[in-house]
Amino acid sequence: MKVREAPRSPGQRKSDVLERWGSELDIWVASAGADGAPCLVPLWFVWDGEAFWLSTRATNPTGRNLRDSGRARLALGHTRDVVLVDGAVETFAADAVPAAAADAFARRTGWDPRRSSKGYAYFRVTPEAVQAWHEEHELQGRHLMRGGEWVV
């Protein structure tokens, strides 16, 4: 395959990433248990301008991993349009989540975990590193955030 388009500018990549965070509904969530066993699942999400909000059962592998490790890697896109986010995780019980976050999640997804009897928790993932690229020709300059600060 031959790439014919020029790489996007760093500013354009950031703009594209923020647009996707506001428009997409599903995100891949990677976590690991204390034994290092990886877990990868798709979850609904809401981006509030500072962090991602996710919800899953507190007792399933993803919920336990996010709570216990305090770390997650999030991914959007297919292999030719990638966004990776490494972030710190805070866990909230359904009865302790900030109302604005839970209300936004319910509006966006059409589902309110607070009304479930199945032990759902909310997870706030604050980005610390962000990478974005379209194919190999954009690998250079793919780091858009480091240490929680945008570098573009």
Side-chain angles (χ1 to χ4, degrees):
M1 183 174 148
K2 190 171 190 177
V3 175
R4 299 191 188 282
E5 65 185 49
R8 294 171 296 166
S9 70
Q12 184 62 54
R13 289 187 206 201
K14 179 181 177 185
S15 177
D16 291 349
V17 163
L18 292 172
E19 189 279 324
R20 289 181 77 182
W21 290 355
S23 65
E24 294 201 24
L25 184 60
D26 302 308
I27 198 160
W28 287 101
V29 179
S31 62
D35 62 357
C39 185
L40 179 66
V41 298
L43 294 176
W44 285 337
F45 77 97
V46 172
W47 169 251
D48 71 3
E50 294 180 10
F52 297 89
W53 287 91
L54 319 166
S55 184
T56 191
R57 289 185 183 156
T59 57
N60 71 19
T62 298
R64 287 191 313 267
N65 293 349
L66 293 174
R67 179 194 65 228
D68 294 349
S69 73
R71 308 284 315 146
R73 173 167 271 190
L74 309 178
L76 285 172
H78 53 76
T79 59
R80 295 174 195 255
D81 185 11
V82 178
V83 177
L84 293 179
V85 178
D86 293 309
V89 177
E90 297 173 79
T91 303
F92 297 84
D95 61 356
V97 65
D103 291 346
F105 188 92
R107 273 191 312 276
R108 179 124 164 102
T109 65
W111 172 59
D112 191 339
R114 295 171 295 184
R115 293 183 178 26
S116 174
S117 63
K118 304 227 187 247
Y120 283 88
Y122 288 82
F123 301 89
R124 182 178 195 258
V125 181
T126 303
E128 295 177 343
V130 176
Q131 300 176 59
W133 69 91
H134 287 168
E135 302 184 350
E136 187 279 334
H137 74 292
E138 283 197 356
L139 286 175
Q140 186 174 4
R142 69 186 174 271
H143 296 277
L144 305 181
M145 178 186 282
R146 289 189 170 131
E149 299 292 328
W150 291 103
V151 295
V152 297

